[in-house]
Every structure is written in C-alpha cells, then in structure tokens.
C-alpha cells in the first residue's frame, strides 16, 4: 500500500515463511481467549501495523500511543523490504525508513490489546508457544483521543483520532456522495468528526434475564404460533427459535400452505410475518406479499377473520412490517399506520442501530418503555411514509430510532431510513398487532450482537418481547 502511494510498486510480495509459526500463534490465541486475556484483535495486512492500529482506535473511539523503538530496530523482516532503501531516498534518512518498515510491513502479524496487569501472563503464554522472539509490547491506549508515534523518546507524529478517521473514510465518502443521497453521505461523514459521540449504549427499565413467561411455560401449555413466510423470506428459523424458547409451539407456514388449505389461521393463537427479501425485495417487497392476500378472496377472508378475533395477536418484522402495514385497512385500529417506503439514503441499510421503546399498548413491549438498546436493522424500504396512508397524529408509536445521546432522531445514520420522528415500530390501540422494521429475532441472544454492554448475560433485551407475548396469551 505504501509503495503504491510513493509510486514504487516493488517486486516483493508479503508471504508466510513458516506455517509452523502460524499454527503456533493460532494455538496461543486460542489459549489467550480461553483465559479471557484478549480484549481486542486485528490482523496486520493491507496497510500494515499503522492501518491495523488506526482501525482499532476508530472502532473503539480511543487514542493510541505507539512506541516503535523495538520494531524499527528489529531486522528480522528486513529482507522482505527490499524497497526500503528506495523509499528512504524519498522520505528521509534511514531512521525514517526503519520507521516506515515498522509501520507498513504487510507480512503476517496481529495486534492484540490486553490489560496492563495481564501483560506478563500474555507474554508467558506466547513464550510457551515459541513466539517470544516475535512478540513485542508496542504501546498503549490513551485518554486524549490522539493517535501518536514515539521513537527514541520523542513524539514523531500526532493527530486527533477523529481527524484521522475522517481521512480514512475519505474515499468511501466521496463515492457515496456520487452514488447515494448526498445529504445522507455528508451526514455520516460528519459524525466521524464528533469526538464527543458517546457511541452505542444500553439503558434498560427491566431485567433482561427475568423470564416473565416462566410461570406459564411451567404449566406445560404451548399456544400454537404460525411462523409465516413468503418467497425469499429468510429469518423464519431465528424467529421460530425465539418464540419456541418463550413457550410457544411454532409451526412453519408458507403462504402456499394457506393458499392450498394445508394450514389455516383459525388454528393459531398468533402469527409472525418474518423478514428477509420477500419477492427479492422488488415490487415493493412486503407490498407484494400483502397483495397476494388482498387479491385472493379466500385468503383475504381468512386474514380478516383472524384479525377480528379478540384472542389473537400478530407481529410483522421488516418485510412482514411492510406486509402488515399494507393490510392496515383490515386490521382493527391500524388505519393510522403509514406505508414503509424507500430509505432516504436510497440504499439497503444493514446496521446495528440504537432504538428506544416508547410507551405504548403493544403486548410485545410491556414493561420495556423507556429502554434503549442496539438492534439489528436490515432493509431497503423502511421509511415511515404518511403521504399515501396513515395519520401521524393518531399513530400509536412503539419504538423510535435515537441518537447516541438517547434523543429521537431523523439524522442519518442514527436513523438509517429517514422516518419522521424516528418512527420504526407501530401498534394498534389494543396492542395486539405490532409492526416493526428492525430485527429482534436476529439479536435475542447477547452473543448475536456485534456490541453489547458488559455483564448483560445470555439473553439480550429483545428476548423480553417474545416472553411478553407468551405471558399475554396466559
């Protein structure tokens, strides 16, 4: 990478000299992880140590102080840097060439972050696996949000982390300015300059590990729920498992089963319309799903009867949210629901977004009002649109996108689709029918989240939704 920027492509490719070393490192890393000694990890590849450390700092929103003395003097990998002398002519004396070699060497290697009090234990484990000669302490994080390089007790380079992160994002930003909605592209780029951004967080009004459904599950009754899917839907397995864990008897029901009479909604206490590329996310995605019901008199009557019963519930997620919104005229109390249309960014959005549960009658969110937590979003058409359908003044909002300060927002990327007032889940006045754009079934376990607050436990906050449904059935 560095050679290209200096107009010197070179003729030496980074390679692996000893497969045994790689095997030893894999074993050492497994041992370190099993002992809970590794906090963060990044491979050294394209861009070398400099790119790896910067990307770790960008992800962690923290500063890093690197000391290059040991790496710059280590000649063990010098033979793989045949162009170093040529680069030195362009950038200065040999001391600078050694610094470049330390920073931009793309030979196999990794950066591990460990706690200072556990450093000796980590080095001992690496030594036991024959890696002592290849292991170096290269720096520490700092609280000044600055990325800096030290050599011979002197700081040879220093820059704010936020500034470097904007430089790192520069090419992607310029591409998205041309390809996507330029206002959204600019908004996302500008967020990188906010060094005070606190990042994702969780604030819960309930105990995520408390199983409100347990007393009812222990009685042995398991109400039947249809896990409803259409062509292209792909989240039905996660949804089925989340509902099963909550105490339901889940049944896989394809729309063709309802059309052919192999299954009937009358046999179920509830159904969940799942998400994931129904009709290939074309023809309005979930809109096409809804039309397969509305244009079939038998199915339309079956759904209308289901909605009209007083003991039923339904949940629509992503494409299922779009489907339920399109069926709003036949759902009691849903006439205020909007349609869900093309994201303001004009792109498919797959993110971990922060949302807040609103005070609402939704049976799925009982006891959760005021809670904020990250959740998976994955949609191209999630913007609440009142131009053709619905009434924002009468709407029962169940969930909103919020920024990292916990405020409802329309700002991209905190609000990935541009919905007004951050709306991303709606419900009916009686709370029996709820439609939401994010995917709680993809993150009902803490381990499924790419970020989670420490000490949360096995269940993520979103497991409460499914348990609430089981408790309501009782």
């Amino acid at each position: 990478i560095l050679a290209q920027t200096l107009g010197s492509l070179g003729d030496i490719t980074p390679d692996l000299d000893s497969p045994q070393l790689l095997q030893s490192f894999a074993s050492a890393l497994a041992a370190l992880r099993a002992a809970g000694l590794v906090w963060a990890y990044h491979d050294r590849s394209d861009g070398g140590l400099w790119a790896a450390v910067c990307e770790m700092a960008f992800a962690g929103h923290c500063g890093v102080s690197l000391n290059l003395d040991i790496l710059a003097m280590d000649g063990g990998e010098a033979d793989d840097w045949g162009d170093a002398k040529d680069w030195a002519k362009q950038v200065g004396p040999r001391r600078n060439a050694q610094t470049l070699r330390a920073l931009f060497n793309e030979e196999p290697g990794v950066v591990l972050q460990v706690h200072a009090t556990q450093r000796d234990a980590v080095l001992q484990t690496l030594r036991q696996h024959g890696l002592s000669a290849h292991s170096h302490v290269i720096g520490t994080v700092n609280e000044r949000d600055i990325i800096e390089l030290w050599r011979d007790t002197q700081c040879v380079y220093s820059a704010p982390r936020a500034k470097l992160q904007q430089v790192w994002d520069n090419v992607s930003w310029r591409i998205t300015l041309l390809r996507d909605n330029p206002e959204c592209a600019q908004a996302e780029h500008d967020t990188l300059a906010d060094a005070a951004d606190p990042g994702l967080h969780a604030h819960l009004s309930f105990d995520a590990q408390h199983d409100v459904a347990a007393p009812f599950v222990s009685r042995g009754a398991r109400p039947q729920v249809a896990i409803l899917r259409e062509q292209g839907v792909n989240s039905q397995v996660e949804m089925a498992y989340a509902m099963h864990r909550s105490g339901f008897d889940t049944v896989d029901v394809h729309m063709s089963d309802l059309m052919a009479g192999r299954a009937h909604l009358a046999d179920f206490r509830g159904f969940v319309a799942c998400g994931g590329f129904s009709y290939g996310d074309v023809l309005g995605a979930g809109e096409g799903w809804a039309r397969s019901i509305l244009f079939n008199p038998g199915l339309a009557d079956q759904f209308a009867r289901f909605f009209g019963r007083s003991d039923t519930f339904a949940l629509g997620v992503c494409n299922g949210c779009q489907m339920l919104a399109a069926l709003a005229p036949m759902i009691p109390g849903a006439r205020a629901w909007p349609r869900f249309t093309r994201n303001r960014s004009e792109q498919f959005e797959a993110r971990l977004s922060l949302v807040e549960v609103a005070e609402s009658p939704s049976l799925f969110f009982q006891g959760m009002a005021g809670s904020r937590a990250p959740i998976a979003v994955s949609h191209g058409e999630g913007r609440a649109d009142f131009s053709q359908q619905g009434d924002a003044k009468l709407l029962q909002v169940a969930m909103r996108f919020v920024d990292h300060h916990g405020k409802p927002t329309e700002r991209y990327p905190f609000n990935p689709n541009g919905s007004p007032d951050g709306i991303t889940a709606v419900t009916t006045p009686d709370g029996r029918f709820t439609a939401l754009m994010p995917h709680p079934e993809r993150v009902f376990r803490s381990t499924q989240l790419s970020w989670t607050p420490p000490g949360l436990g096995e269940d993520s906050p979103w497991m409460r939704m499914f348990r609430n449904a089981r408790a309501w059935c009782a």
Side-chain angles (χ1 to χ4, degrees), residues 260-289:
R262 291 187 295 268
H264 301 274
L265 289 181
D267 297 330
F268 297 98
R269 187 71 184 274
F271 77 75
V272 183
C274 301
F277 298 103
S278 66
Y279 288 95
D281 260 5
V282 298
L283 303 176
E287 295 272 347
W289 189 351

Side-chain angles (χ1 to χ4, degrees), residues 301-325:
D301 180 68
Q302 191 172 161
F303 274 83
R305 289 176 181 274
F306 178 89
F307 293 136
R309 287 163 48 191
S310 61
D311 65 338
T312 58
F313 70 90
L315 175 68
V317 174
C318 195
N319 285 162
C321 172
Q322 297 162 341
M323 182 268 265
L324 283 187

Side-chain angles (χ1 to χ4, degrees), residues 11 16 44-45 84 89 115 127 135 152 164 179 192 213 218-220 275 285 287 324 345 349 355 357 381 464:
D11 57 4
L16 178 63
R44 178 183 70 177
S45 54
K89 296 177 183 178
H115 196 279
R127 190 177 303 115
S135 305
D152 299 333
L164 290 181
R179 184 194 65 190
L192 301 180
S218 64
R219 299 173 188 171
E287 295 272 347
L324 283 187
S345 66
E349 297 287 341
V355 296
V357 178
E381 298 177 338
R464 177 64 176 264

Side-chain angles (χ1 to χ4, degrees), residues 17 44 71 74-82 101 105-108 134 136:
D17 296 326
R44 178 183 70 177
L71 292 179
D74 182 8
E77 298 172 54
D79 290 342
D80 293 321
W81 279 70
R101 186 180 70 200
N105 180 351
E106 294 179 345
E107 292 289 298
H134 305 276
H136 309 286

Side-chain angles (χ1 to χ4, degrees), residues 255 258-261 263-266 291-306 330:
M255 287 299 296
L258 296 177
M259 294 176 184
H264 301 274
L265 289 181
R291 290 188 179 94
S292 71
I293 298 168
L294 295 172
F295 295 165
N296 184 314
L299 280 183
D301 180 68
Q302 191 172 161
F303 274 83
R305 289 176 181 274
F306 178 89
M330 70 165 60

